[in-house]
Amino acid sequence: MRKILVGMSTCGMSAGAKDTYARLESLLPADSPHELTITGCIGMCFREPLVEIREGSTRTIYGDVDPARAEEIFEKHIQGGQEIPEYIIYKIEDDQPTGGQELNFLAGQQRIVLRNCGLINPESIDDYEARGGYQATRKAIAEMEPTQIIEEMKTSGLRGRGGAGFPTGLKWSFAAGYDGEAKYVVCNADEGDPGAFMDRSVLEGDPHAVLEGMIICARAIGGTHGYIYCRAEYPLAIHRLELAIEAARERGYLGPDIMGSGFSFDISIKQGAGAFVCGEETALFASIEGERGMPRIRPPFPAESGVFGQPTNNNNVETYANVPWIINNGGQAYRAFGTEKSPGTKVFALAGKIAKGGLAEVPMGMTIEEILFGIGGGIKDGREFKAVQMGGPSGGCIPAALKQTPVDFENIPKTGAIMGSGGMVVMDDTTCMVDMARFFLTFTQDESCGKCTFCRIGTLRMLEILERITRGEGQPGDVEALTELGGRIKEASLCGLGQTAPNPVLSTIRYYMDEFKAHIEDHSCPAGNCPALVDFVIDPEKCNGCSACAKNCPVEAISGTLKHPFVIDTEACVQCGKCITSCSFDAIFKTGKKVAAR
Amino acid sequence: MVSTDFSYRLWRHDGTPGELIPLLQSAQEHFGYIPRRAIRYISEVTKTPESKIYGVITFYSQFRLQPMGKNVIRLCTGTACHVANSGMLLDTLQDELGVEVGGTTEDGVFTLFSVACIGCCSLAPVMMVNDDTQGKLTPAATRKIVRKIRRQTLASERQAQATSDAETAPAAD
């Protein structure tokens, strides 16, 4: 009997996994000895859709499986028992990687959080239990005192994976120290950083691990009820969480008197409604309570007064997913990975101009270069590595020159970026850093809740300056104004959003002053990105002379004869971009380094 | 599903705090947007002033006070998509549809939104049309997709119209 697993998380489905699954389902006869099932994300988004054929302890993973390829695999491998080596991206025999085209992608990883992702059917509690699931819960409830659990967490040295890196064991001990009518265990699944999808993959691929982490936390701190605050943009994650909670209740891991211990705990899901600031814990609590998601002043800290004014512990998805492993294997074993001050592993989402975009879990302290080039396969299309953005709108850009920086809570902040939740967006030489700064500020400006004046108005003023610069209308003194505003906003904002909003701008100024200068003084965009500062050119190979661009050009800068390539007069062109968006053949492109000052 | 049904949720409401946002979400699911009367119902049941409900609605980007088009386009403008030139796609969509972000076309076929990140960064640039994700887009490909969906939507409308015209029974409602 062969087990066929199709990777069905959001990324797989958008790449067409549903069609692949449907084709396999239709091919498989009802009385087939083979079993077709789904699994979560193994992290190789760049080769989706993925199909695994499992036979005994041999796992063969095929990549780029469209319905046609699925049919071929069905005939040759599933029915014929014959592998198709040219499609194999990864092969594992007896838990040892033995071959495949993408061997390097997984070989450098250490999977603790993602231990089950891509291995089990996330909608089956049996699959999870077969992999040792809920043993940690049993151990924590039957064999350990709450204080022992907290001690174990302290020993592990696990630090909050949401970005701030606060020691988890310490946080739990605070919450354990307060009494209230109720005590809440909150899981922050409001993964809002653009370019980050670690939590989504964990929730979609291994939801029970998160539930287990929360149950163990509740046992340790005396929690009475749990909330998972998940963003509404993740419907599949919410669906799988609902199934997981229901299954856990049926097996008695959730609900009253869990496993006859007298300890009762249940979890409900709160769907976010689209507000980035709700990733900030006090704003998240306000949102759970049904209010506008605006941050509150701390102290009192959540451990004393959180949701509905009751003692509350709040951790991120990835933090909770680490907990069962730590309870099963011990805090010391966890410390074997990572660095002295940042133990364990971290999941990163690799995106942007990287050859192999996806999810990678690595020990803390690995260098940027090892992650991007060793695992991620380097830069897309063989271009030049310029920078990597970490920490999303709260973080900063780390230039290529610092690629030897170890990725941990000590070294990343020194570069001006932050660890953040784990998004790594890679940029090549065609990315304009001034435009990136503008991009992040557009985001935070839009998402500022409006409570603090400096965040509300200061970010808008910064954005206006940056927009002017990217339009080629920069003025002397702009950079100084940005720096001053940035400093003030950081000082005078209440929550993490405002305190970090200027970071992308400040770190860009720090490393890419020459690009700011080029925009402001020479009115040129060295990366060839900012529309107002580049030339628009028609590729004569692609142009079929339909004249659509000429008709749409507001200044009649495009000319030519029908059915022959058209030409843009760069002197007359006002860089509005209408020609690019009107072309049906993608024949018009921007070309950089417009040297002559206008 | 009964549990998300708006009237059921209202009827079941027992004063548990923190139910305002779930109630608004089910109202939006039921009506496609949050009509004035839904705000009134919720206000009566939860004993929350309408002004406060309105404040919550306008705080969160998910809630809408206007009906949406038959197809909802969500263009991802997250970091990875931005680096992959999603800005050009936004211009393309606004030009093709003749609406700004948040707007609905005159024929009611499309509503255009931009979203921060769909989480399919390896397929950037990406947009979601209803529940389908389309990746690795170019301006030309985007126009093609939009035109195809418009044709399909209008065709099925015409068909529905023809069917209802053919039926002699008086229309309900």
Side-chain angles (χ1 to χ4, degrees), chain A residues 348-533:
Chain A
F348 291 100
L350 310 179
K353 303 287 180 75
I354 191 156
K356 299 173 182 177
L359 277 191
E361 181 173 358
V362 297
M364 290 271 195
M366 222 181 196
T367 65
I368 291 173
E369 187 177 27
E370 284 168 329
I371 296 174
L372 298 185
F373 289 83
I375 293 171
I379 309 305
K380 210 186 240 175
D381 304 325
R383 296 200 76 100
E384 196 188 319
F385 173 41
K386 184 170 184 177
V388 58
Q389 211 282 344
M390 282 187 70
S394 311
C397 292
I398 303 172
L402 297 179
K403 64 185 177 186
Q404 297 300 338
T405 309
V407 179
D408 59 32
F409 287 110
E410 277 65 54
N411 287 292
I412 292 299
K414 288 182 194 158
T415 67
I418 60 165
M419 272 294 278
S421 55
M424 282 190 169
V425 182
V426 179
M427 290 149 199
D428 66 9
D429 52 346
T430 63
T431 314
C432 170
M433 303 313 284
V434 181
D435 179 63
M436 282 317 293
R438 183 196 61 80
F439 165 77
F440 280 113
L441 217 63
T442 312
F443 182 81
T444 33
Q445 211 293 308
D446 195 42
E447 294 292 347
S448 169
C449 79
K451 185 164 184 160
C452 308
T453 316
F454 277 81
C455 177
R456 183 179 68 241
I457 299 171
T459 54
L460 183 61
R461 291 289 97 85
M462 285 180 82
L463 181 60
E464 285 165 355
I465 295 173
L466 285 164
E467 280 178 342
R468 259 199 299 108
I469 296 175
T470 53
R471 279 202 308 268
E473 296 161 14
Q475 296 159 0
D478 273 354
V479 171
E480 291 73 17
L482 285 172
T483 313
E484 196 197 334
L485 273 167
R488 299 265 165 109
I489 295 167
K490 283 169 78 111
E491 278 168 28
S493 298
L494 187 60
C495 84
L497 192 154
Q499 286 163 8
T500 59
N503 283 357
V505 184
L506 298 178
S507 81
T508 317
I509 290 175
R510 177 167 162 192
Y511 295 116
Y512 297 96
M513 193 58 201
D514 52 332
E515 282 194 40
F516 275 89
K517 276 196 178 142
H519 281 76
I520 296 171
E521 293 169 13
D522 308 332
H523 303 290
S524 90
C525 175
N529 179 82
C530 298
L533 305 175

Side-chain angles (χ1 to χ4, degrees), chain A residues 56-90:
Chain A
S57 60
T58 303
R59 303 170 54 205
T60 312
I61 299 157
Y62 290 103
D64 306 313
V65 187
D66 55 15
R69 198 172 268 196
E71 208 161 322
E72 203 180 332
I73 293 169
F74 177 80
E75 278 165 22
K76 288 192 182 153
H77 192 158
I78 299 169
Q79 289 201 306
Q82 201 68 40
E83 285 178 3
I84 314 173
E86 58 268 36
Y87 301 158
I88 297 179
I89 56 168
Y90 203 64

Side-chain angles (χ1 to χ4, degrees), chain B:
Chain B
M1 218 166 80
V2 105
S3 63
T4 55
D5 183 76
F6 180 53
S7 45
Y8 174 78
R9 276 202 101 117
L10 273 181
W11 169 76
R12 198 197 58 175
H13 182 74
D14 56 0
T16 315
E19 280 298 296
L20 179 55
I21 290 173
L23 278 169
L24 287 169
Q25 281 166 334
S26 75
Q28 174 143 309
E29 196 163 306
H30 185 82
F31 297 105
Y33 70 110
I34 300 173
R36 188 66 207 271
R37 65 179 189 280
I39 299 179
R40 211 159 48 231
Y41 299 150
I42 294 174
S43 171
E44 277 165 20
V45 170
T46 61
K47 313 268 187 296
T48 313
E50 286 185 32
S51 59
K52 201 196 147 191
I53 298 175
Y54 185 77
V56 171
I57 291 171
T58 52
F59 184 84
Y60 295 98
S61 62
Q62 186 194 19
F63 296 128
R64 293 184 50 83
L65 293 161
Q66 303 293 330
M68 282 194 280
K70 292 181 188 69
N71 301 283
V72 178
I73 299 179
R74 291 187 173 83
L75 179 74
C76 182
T77 52
T79 319
C81 287
H82 177 78
V83 173
N85 222 350
S86 65
M88 205 52 102
L89 297 183
L90 188 60
D91 291 344
T92 306
L93 284 168
Q94 289 180 339
D95 183 67
E96 176 72 29
L97 302 173
V99 294
E100 297 287 308
V101 170
T104 301
T105 54
E106 252 174 49
D107 57 7
V109 176
F110 289 107
T111 299
L112 176 64
F113 290 116
S114 70
V115 293
C117 188
I118 307 177
C120 306
C121 305
S122 55
L123 299 169
V126 181
M127 69 174 178
M128 272 179 93
V129 184
N130 304 322
D131 289 331
D132 286 331
T133 314
Q134 316 263 0
K136 297 183 179 165
L137 294 168
T138 63
T142 307
R143 271 184 206 272
K144 266 189 205 137
I145 292 168
V146 169
R147 284 176 191 169
K148 190 177 158 203
I149 293 168
R150 170 165 273 150
R151 269 199 311 277
Q152 287 170 344
T153 308
L154 293 177
S156 66
E157 261 176 34
R158 271 195 301 275
Q159 207 175 358
Q161 186 65 40
T163 322
S164 73
D165 285 351
E167 280 169 9
T168 44
D173 194 15

Side-chain angles (χ1 to χ4, degrees), chain A residues 32-213:
Chain A
S32 169
H34 310 303
E35 183 194 346
L36 176 66
T37 181
I38 62 165
T39 188
C41 174
I42 199 165
M44 288 195 257
C45 305
F46 58 103
R47 297 300 294 266
E48 298 269 16
L50 302 177
V51 171
E52 177 185 335
I53 313 291
R54 199 179 293 176
E55 197 173 8
S57 60
T58 303
R59 303 170 54 205
T60 312
I61 299 157
Y62 290 103
D64 306 313
V65 187
D66 55 15
R69 198 172 268 196
E71 208 161 322
E72 203 180 332
I73 293 169
F74 177 80
E75 278 165 22
K76 288 192 182 153
H77 192 158
I78 299 169
Q79 289 201 306
Q82 201 68 40
E83 285 178 3
I84 314 173
E86 58 268 36
Y87 301 158
I88 297 179
I89 56 168
Y90 203 64
K91 196 166 172 182
I92 301 166
E93 285 164 288
D94 298 320
D95 281 335
Q96 290 303 313
T98 55
Q101 297 155 15
E102 308 294 351
L103 190 62
N104 288 341
F105 188 82
L106 284 179
Q109 297 192 37
Q110 180 61 50
R111 293 163 84 95
I112 292 177
V113 172
L114 303 176
R115 59 194 178 272
N116 294 322
C117 285
L119 270 170
I120 61 166
N121 177 351
E123 299 182 3
S124 156
I125 193 170
D126 290 327
D127 268 25
Y128 182 70
E129 288 189 320
R131 291 266 305 164
Y134 287 106
Q135 277 173 15
T137 302
R138 284 177 193 283
K139 187 174 171 185
I141 291 177
E143 298 168 27
M144 293 171 88
E145 290 297 320
T147 47
Q148 279 179 295
I149 300 173
I150 291 174
E151 278 315 307
E152 202 63 63
M153 293 307 294
K154 282 186 179 167
T155 308
S156 77
L158 174 67
R159 298 174 64 171
R161 295 299 193 243
F166 193 82
T168 305
L170 196 59
K171 198 184 230 183
W172 288 15
S173 72
F174 292 158
Y178 287 97
D179 288 320
E181 286 165 30
K183 197 181 275 188
Y184 295 105
V185 175
V186 175
C187 173
N188 183 347
D190 194 44
E191 187 173 49
D193 282 4
F197 49 94
M198 303 75 49
D199 294 348
R200 193 208 72 211
S201 288
V202 173
L203 295 170
E204 288 178 359
D206 195 12
H208 285 287
V210 180
L211 300 187
E212 226 188 325

Side-chain angles (χ1 to χ4, degrees), chain A residues 257-418:
Chain A
D257 190 22
I258 296 172
M259 295 187 292
S261 62
F263 159 62
S264 303
F265 180 69
D266 209 341
I267 296 175
S268 45
I269 300 171
K270 286 276 179 180
Q271 254 190 63
F276 177 69
V277 70
C278 290
E280 203 280 340
E281 61 184 6
T282 58
L284 189 152
F285 299 158
S287 184
I288 288 180
E289 293 165 14
E291 309 277 335
R292 288 165 72 98
M294 288 166 119
R296 298 165 184 168
I297 294 174
R298 291 178 297 191
F301 286 94
E304 185 185 348
S305 171
V307 180
F308 299 117
Q310 300 299 321
T312 302
N313 179 75
N314 171 43
N315 284 120
N316 147 282
V317 170
E318 197 181 326
T319 312
Y320 283 124
N322 270 302
V323 172
W325 193 96
I326 293 170
I327 296 301
N328 277 330
N329 299 279
Q332 276 304 334
Y334 191 75
R335 273 200 170 275
F337 305 105
T339 65
E340 171 65 29
K341 290 190 170 161
S342 301
T345 60
K346 175 82 194 83
V347 185
F348 291 100
L350 310 179
K353 303 287 180 75
I354 191 156
K356 299 173 182 177
L359 277 191
E361 181 173 358
V362 297
M364 290 271 195
M366 222 181 196
T367 65
I368 291 173
E369 187 177 27
E370 284 168 329
I371 296 174
L372 298 185
F373 289 83
I375 293 171
I379 309 305
K380 210 186 240 175
D381 304 325
R383 296 200 76 100
E384 196 188 319
F385 173 41
K386 184 170 184 177
V388 58
Q389 211 282 344
M390 282 187 70
S394 311
C397 292
I398 303 172
L402 297 179
K403 64 185 177 186
Q404 297 300 338
T405 309
V407 179
D408 59 32
F409 287 110
E410 277 65 54
N411 287 292
I412 292 299
K414 288 182 194 158
T415 67
I418 60 165

